[in-house]
Amino acid sequence: MPKGYWIARVDVRDPERYKDYVAAAKPAFEKYGAKFLARGGAFTELEGKARGRNVVIEFPSHQAAVDCYNSPEYQIAAKIRQEVADAEMVVVEGA
């Protein structure tokens, strides 16, 4: 079964409150087997407009990645993130 990946591009407006999002999201990530492959860090803008933070999270399956996002645990965290950051997020099935 192919793995699933969250790809998120984020501009954080309130770094202190973003820490609340990270803490609130942790239970959902643990429940659904998330493994962080990239979490912020240096990046090189090649095409289009980049955002300040780029995150890639691996899940055991595409469905696990979608279920994590839709879970009650993550939705609590998502509300915090939406208040303090602008983001684009997609789930991609691995090869």
Side-chain angles (χ1 to χ4, degrees), residues 17-68:
R17 289 237 19 246
Y18 193 79
K19 293 175 187 176
D20 296 336
Y21 158 73
V22 172
K26 186 176 179 180
F29 292 146
E30 289 174 350
K31 180 177 179 179
Y32 289 94
K35 177 182 176 187
F36 285 82
L37 303 180
R39 192 175 204 173
F43 65 91
T44 301
E45 185 175 336
L46 299 175
E47 292 185 29
K49 179 158 175 33
R51 290 201 179 257
R53 183 172 179 83
N54 301 283
V55 181
V56 179
I57 309 171
E58 180 182 83
F59 289 85
S61 68
H62 182 269
Q63 191 61 55
V66 172
D67 290 347
C68 181

Side-chain angles (χ1 to χ4, degrees), residues 24-25 27-28 31-32 67-79:
K31 180 177 179 179
Y32 289 94
D67 290 347
C68 181
Y69 181 84
N70 290 322
S71 71
E73 297 91 346
Y74 185 75
Q75 286 305 303
I76 291 167
K79 287 179 184 174

